[in-house]
Amino acid sequence: MTSRIGLTLVLAGSLMTVSGMVGAQGWFAGHDHNDNAARGLERLHEKLAELKQRRNRRADVQLGPRPQWLVDDMDEGPLKTRLQSCRTDNMKRTDFSIGHRGAPLQFPEHTLESYVAAARMGAGIVECDVAFTKDRELVCRHAQNDLHTTTNIVTIPELNAKCTQPFVPADSVNGTPAQAECRTSDITLAEFKTLEGKMDAYDPLATTPEEYVKGTADWRTDLYASRGTLLSHKESIELFRSLGVKFTPELKTPVVEMPYEDDYSQHDYARQMLEDYLEAGLKPRDVWPQSFQLEDVTFWINEMPEFADQAVFLDESPITPETSSLAYMEDLHAQGVRILAPAIWKMLTLDGHGNIVPSEYARNARAAGLDLIAWSMERAGPLAQGGGWYYQSVTDAINNDGDMLTVIDVLARDVGVIGIFSDWPATTTFYANCMGMK
């Protein structure tokens, strides 16, 4: 049995409740790790109170040094000259800049701290990837089965024991790596809220849980990972509203068989996510729901038409003559899809002179009347070696980090994307402001 408690917050002149499912013995009974939940709720309460005090002031956009550092690394040319002349003392928030999981280049993804950082960098839209817990509550996680790499769950014995695959140490004699798989559906919301977010990484050579949760890439940082406050989906809605940003929730594809426990269907899950926005009194025009499953997108289009125009199909299909054809794009449009979001590389190619230009995929999408959103800038490490997976179609034109701004420029001006997901939204905010984008 469970009982419901509410954390009542005074925000923007109204009372709102951030609720959590609590076990029969209560959140704070018996276990040290439950202190994490208390600290997380306290941080959320403090942040919302701070935002209430600032609600009547214009949002402060803080870019930091990275955008100018990227400009300095660019090849000489008109774009670099224009960006060098750009003033950064009056930057505005822009919907072109989308916080991908918040600002996870340096902050633990899908945490209070990461979301606040994204908003401060001028992201006009911020993403909560949505997964469900054992008690069918929605939470912000990039995948249903990533708790072992994005939180401290394996270091908490009673919760590690509930994981689909509890932590198993590496065996150097047999050459087997450390193993773990912990799903949001393994634990309740109350248990989820006791966890702390960390940088997404693990050490495959670990022999202890404490070693396993390490392994952050050297081009990221653990500097801001000393606290990572996890949020339910409903809490993210209240936080984003208080930050003054818009919403792009992504319905994550379940790794458990659906219907879950025989009676919670994919449609129930898809409907629940958007009902959270309606129950919160949000305008559908401020919400861009996303899914990699076309069936989810068409369900929203047909069953929840108030969200239809901004339902986003995340297209990860391989590039083939069929999946980049005008006929493919027109078929999507005929099904009601209006926004298509592929990976960066699918929209770019090189011309005969080695210049980055729009791909056939991008040209046909636009010809079919589809808007485009790109993902994800700042997701790769240093670009000196070609940029890796996200730049695979233009690798030969990528040899320094400044080329990131060239890619953004082609996406914005030549492809005509309406927004770009970024792990460090300051970069896309900077570009949009400097180029006079609305």
Side-chain angles (χ1 to χ4, degrees):
M1 295 291 293
T2 58
S3 59
R4 184 174 292 276
I5 66 169
L7 172 63
T8 301
L9 307 172
V10 180
L11 178 64
S14 64
L15 291 176
M16 292 181 290
T17 301
V18 178
S19 299
M21 298 303 293
V22 184
Q25 295 181 351
W27 261 350
F28 309 115
H31 301 294
D32 290 342
H33 72 268
N34 287 328
D35 291 341
N36 294 338
R39 288 194 296 271
L41 286 171
E42 181 180 0
R43 285 196 288 268
L44 180 59
H45 190 179
E46 290 172 351
K47 180 53 62 180
L48 291 172
E50 172 195 337
L51 294 166
K52 176 198 168 186
Q53 293 176 356
R54 300 173 56 192
R55 69 184 184 274
N56 293 324
R57 295 188 298 180
R58 186 177 65 186
D60 297 323
V61 174
Q62 305 168 10
L63 295 183
R66 181 164 177 78
Q68 290 288 352
W69 182 84
L70 291 173
V71 172
D72 291 342
D73 201 36
M74 294 179 69
D75 298 333
E76 298 301 325
L79 179 61
K80 179 173 183 176
T81 299
R82 180 166 179 176
L83 294 178
Q84 282 178 323
S85 66
C86 179
R87 293 184 57 180
T88 60
D89 56 352
N90 193 29
M91 294 277 147
K92 302 292 194 303
R93 181 172 291 159
T94 169
D95 290 353
F96 182 79
S97 180
I98 307 172
H100 180 239
R101 315 185 201 180
L105 181 65
Q106 295 194 22
F107 290 83
E109 64 186 47
H110 292 307
T111 61
L112 168 70
E113 294 76 14
S114 189
Y115 292 146
V116 170
R120 285 177 173 162
M121 293 181 205
I125 304 171
V126 180
E127 178 186 48
C128 166
D129 289 330
V130 175
F132 60 85
T133 61
K134 186 177 181 64
D135 47 353
R136 305 180 190 183
E137 295 289 331
L138 302 184
V139 296
C140 297
R141 283 294 92 195
H142 176 62
Q144 188 181 36
N145 61 336
D146 74 357
L147 293 182
H148 50 291
T149 63
T150 65
T151 78
N152 62 336
I153 189 169
V154 298
T155 68
I156 304 171
E158 56 267 43
L159 295 185
N160 175 61
K162 296 183 178 185
C163 290
T164 296
Q165 171 59 71
F167 170 73
V168 176
D171 186 337
S172 59
V173 175
N174 293 318
T176 57
Q179 300 177 51
E181 183 187 355
C182 302
R183 303 174 177 176
T184 57
S185 54
D186 289 334
I187 58 177
T188 66
L189 175 60
E191 292 167 332
F192 175 85
K193 289 304 298 288
T194 68
L195 302 176
E196 290 188 347
K198 69 176 194 68
M199 299 302 285
D200 184 9
Y202 74 101
D203 182 354
L205 302 179
T207 58
T208 68
E210 290 72 22
E211 292 174 347
Y212 184 82
V213 297
K214 299 179 180 179
T216 301
D218 59 8
W219 48 271
R220 296 182 185 269
T221 180
D222 286 318
L223 185 63
Y224 302 110
S226 58
R227 58 183 187 272
T229 308
L230 302 193
L231 299 178
S232 70
H233 180 230
K234 290 181 179 179
E235 287 173 338
S236 79
I237 292 172
E238 297 308 328
L239 175 65
F240 294 1
R241 174 156 54 184
S242 67
L243 289 167
V245 301
K246 298 173 185 176
F247 312 81
T248 185
E250 181 190 331
L251 193 76
K252 299 308 297 187
T253 302
V255 296
V256 297
E257 184 176 352
M258 299 295 279
Y260 177 61
E261 297 179 335
D262 298 324
D263 63 351
Y264 183 63
S265 70
Q266 183 71 19
H267 286 172
D268 293 333
Y269 175 37
R271 183 183 296 107
Q272 180 184 359
M273 185 180 85
L274 293 192
E275 284 178 342
D276 280 351
Y277 292 91
L278 297 176
E279 290 173 6
L282 270 297
K283 296 180 177 65
R285 70 187 184 203
D286 291 334
V287 183
W288 284 262
Q290 319 165 66
S291 177
F292 279 101
Q293 296 195 61
L294 182 58
E295 293 80 4
D296 293 334
V297 178
T298 56
F299 171 78
W300 292 324
I301 290 168
N302 296 319
E303 301 296 329
M304 306 185 80
E306 59 268 58
F307 294 96
D309 288 346
Q310 294 183 170
V312 180
F313 175 41
L314 298 161
D315 185 11
E316 61 178 348
S317 61
I319 286 284
T320 67
E322 291 75 22
T323 60
S324 59
S325 68
L326 181 59
Y328 173 76
M329 303 301 174
E330 290 177 334
D331 180 62
L332 290 177
H333 194 277
Q335 295 183 65
V337 176
R338 295 295 178 265
I339 305 177
L340 184 64
I344 292 167
W345 68 269
K346 294 180 73 170
M347 291 184 282
L348 303 176
T349 190
L350 298 179
D351 67 13
H353 303 286
N355 299 312
I356 301 174
V357 296
S359 66
E360 180 184 22
Y361 176 102
R363 295 195 306 271
N364 284 335
R366 293 300 307 278
L370 298 173
D371 285 328
L372 293 168
I373 295 175
W375 49 270
S376 298
M377 301 304 301
E378 308 273 21
R379 189 69 191 159
L383 305 190
Q385 303 303 316
W389 188 86
Y390 287 91
Y391 304 87
Q392 59 187 278
S393 61
V394 293
T395 293
D396 290 344
I398 302 293
N399 59 21
N400 60 61
D401 288 325
D403 287 331
M404 195 177 307
L405 287 164
T406 302
V407 168
I408 293 174
D409 188 59
V410 175
L411 289 170
R413 295 206 287 178
D414 299 331
V415 175
V417 299
I418 63 172
I420 297 179
F421 281 93
S422 177
D423 280 22
W424 200 246
T427 302
T428 42
T429 299
F430 168 79
Y431 174 87
N433 276 264
C434 291
M435 303 303 286
M437 301 179 67
K438 301 294 185 183

